[in-house]
Each structure stands twice: as structure tokens, then as C-alpha cells.
Amino acid sequence: PIDTLEPLQLPENFVIRAWAPSRSLTDEWYAEPGRASRYDVERGNWLFPETGFFRGATRSTIGVADGGRDRQTFMVRFEAGSGRVITSPLQPVAVLDPRATTSGRASAPFNTYRVDEAENNLRFTERVLRSPAALLSAQDKALLLGDESGDTVLARPVDQLAIYDVRKLAGDLGVRVNPKTGCLYELSEADPKPEFPGVTPLRVNRWINGDTNGDGRAEGREDGDRPEARIFVVDRLTADLKEVEVQQ
């Protein structure tokens, strides 16, 4: 969070997703070595911001080093100085988003560098990065701020966004909004990797692109579809959001 900017809160039940082109998902971002991906990496996908899902249990109870690889999101990124929107290369960014828990913070380096008690995330990050190797090794810095940390979320830049009411998505797909997650994902205690119950990411992609009746074609209201999602492209020069119609 930036002290000088007020965060924008979406209306209740509204969700924002981002478009990731085919083969843009990697072993780091929304795909993990040795585990089945939630998305088809050979296709383009509308990605869900997976910031609150942790391997172990909930945001407030799991260990600090657990579940970092399950936290993924996206960002509209700007170049310092020019303000130009950056979309290439897809350089990953570790976003510091501390979990409100003391679990797993009793041993080094977490007991000395308590991000959950930090008053300012930027100053905490600078303190970690500037610590000499004699006090904090490169490996410990990675544990605190790297992708494996449960206090960070891995993000990459995008330039297409979609906003929709998750209740309408669930209704058209014949599933329910999970009461615990507030979205289509469900988590199990045995393996809390986020999963879609009874629906595929491909079907979600098609719904966002306008195929709300599930016949495989985005045709418009006169042919039975009722497009609900609003899709925007980020102008690379002005950063304005331009609404567009996207059909498969």
C-alpha cells in the first residue's frame, strides 16, 4: 500500500481478472514444478488474483514459509519517470503483502525481521535488502522477500482486465459461490491448493469473452448469450482504460 493513494474497493461480489496470453504462464507464475497447473499454459487465460490462498490452512494460521508459491496475482505496471505502461518483458515482481500471523516467526531470520510488525513495508524491504551479508545472507533475504515466502505475492504486468459479478458467472456455469472463499475456488485441508469445483478455467474464459450460454460461441444477446463481463485494454501511452468487446 502507498500512503498517498487511497485504494479503490470494488462493489461486493465483483471480481477483477487479467488476460495472460498463451505460454505466458511459467514455472513461477500461476504454474508450479511438480504440480498440475490450474490453467492450460498453452492457451490464453483470464487469471484470478490468487492472493489469499495458502498451502497449510488459512491466512492467519499457517507458517510464514508455507504457501508462498500458491500466492499469485497481476499488476498494471508503469515505468519510473516516463509513466509508460510496461507489458514486455514479463519480468516478475514480488509484492510484499504480510500475513497477519505470528506463526512461523519464532526462528531466524523471521524472528529478527518481523514484517508483520513493520509500520512501513517500503522501509522494511530496504532494511532487508541493505543488510550486510554478515548479518543477513542472500538465502535469508530470499526467505523473507522471495517467491517462496508466504508474505509475498508473485505478480507480472498485464494490459487487459475484466470485471464481472461472480454471482452471475456462477449462475450461468451451474455452480455456487464458495462461502469461505467468496469465489468459485474451494480449498481443502488435505491439499489447500485452490481448485475449481465442477468447472474448468476454459469455461470461465469463454464466459468472460461472451459465451454465457455454454455453446462454445460468443454470439450476442440475439443468439442466446448475455455478455456480463466488461473487458478493458490499458492504453500503453496514457494508461486509460478502454472498454472493448472480445469474442472467441
Side-chain angles (χ1 to χ4, degrees), residues 25-208:
L25 307 185
T26 69
D27 287 346
E28 295 176 326
W29 192 51
Y30 282 93
E32 191 173 335
R35 305 182 76 188
S37 174
R38 291 181 280 282
Y39 299 93
D40 183 349
V41 298
E42 297 297 322
R43 292 177 176 269
N45 290 278
W46 285 106
L47 302 178
F48 187 86
E50 300 174 355
T51 58
F53 301 123
F54 302 89
R55 191 183 314 159
T58 67
R59 180 183 180 91
S60 61
T61 61
I62 72 167
V64 68
D66 297 332
R69 293 296 290 271
D70 282 330
R71 301 187 72 190
Q72 317 286 343
T73 193
F74 44 83
M75 66 192 300
V76 177
R77 191 176 186 186
F78 303 92
E79 183 180 63
S82 71
R84 180 177 60 89
V85 175
I86 299 175
T87 57
S88 180
L90 292 175
Q91 187 68 27
V93 177
V95 179
L96 186 61
D97 180 28
R99 292 173 298 106
T101 176
T102 59
S103 176
R105 303 189 191 276
S107 59
F110 307 106
N111 58 345
T112 304
Y113 295 84
R114 290 290 301 271
V115 64
D116 59 314
E117 297 179 350
E119 295 183 0
N120 184 287
N121 285 352
L122 177 58
R123 285 197 290 269
F124 175 85
T125 302
E126 292 174 340
R127 177 192 174 202
V128 170
L129 296 179
R130 293 175 180 174
S131 294
L135 295 178
L136 193 65
S137 68
Q139 181 179 5
D140 284 344
K141 291 180 181 180
L143 287 175
L144 291 164
L145 297 177
D147 185 30
E148 295 288 348
S149 171
D151 290 313
T152 64
V153 188
L154 193 70
R156 279 188 167 180
V158 298
D159 63 357
Q160 293 187 56
L161 303 169
I163 298 177
Y164 62 93
D165 186 333
V166 68
R167 298 168 300 179
K168 294 180 178 179
L169 170 64
D172 285 342
L173 269 55
V175 295
R176 69 186 185 101
V177 176
N178 187 284
K180 291 184 178 181
T181 65
C183 61
L184 298 190
Y185 279 156
E186 67 178 13
L187 304 174
S188 69
E189 291 300 323
D191 182 12
K193 183 185 71 170
E195 297 288 357
F196 289 113
V199 67
T200 65
L202 177 60
R203 183 67 187 90
V204 174
N205 290 340
R206 289 175 173 172
W207 185 91
I208 292 176

Side-chain angles (χ1 to χ4, degrees), residues 172 210-215 217 219-227:
D172 285 342
D211 176 21
T212 59
N213 64 6
D215 65 357
R217 301 184 302 273
E219 301 171 303
R221 296 182 182 275
E222 65 277 5
D223 296 306
D225 285 320
R226 295 174 292 103

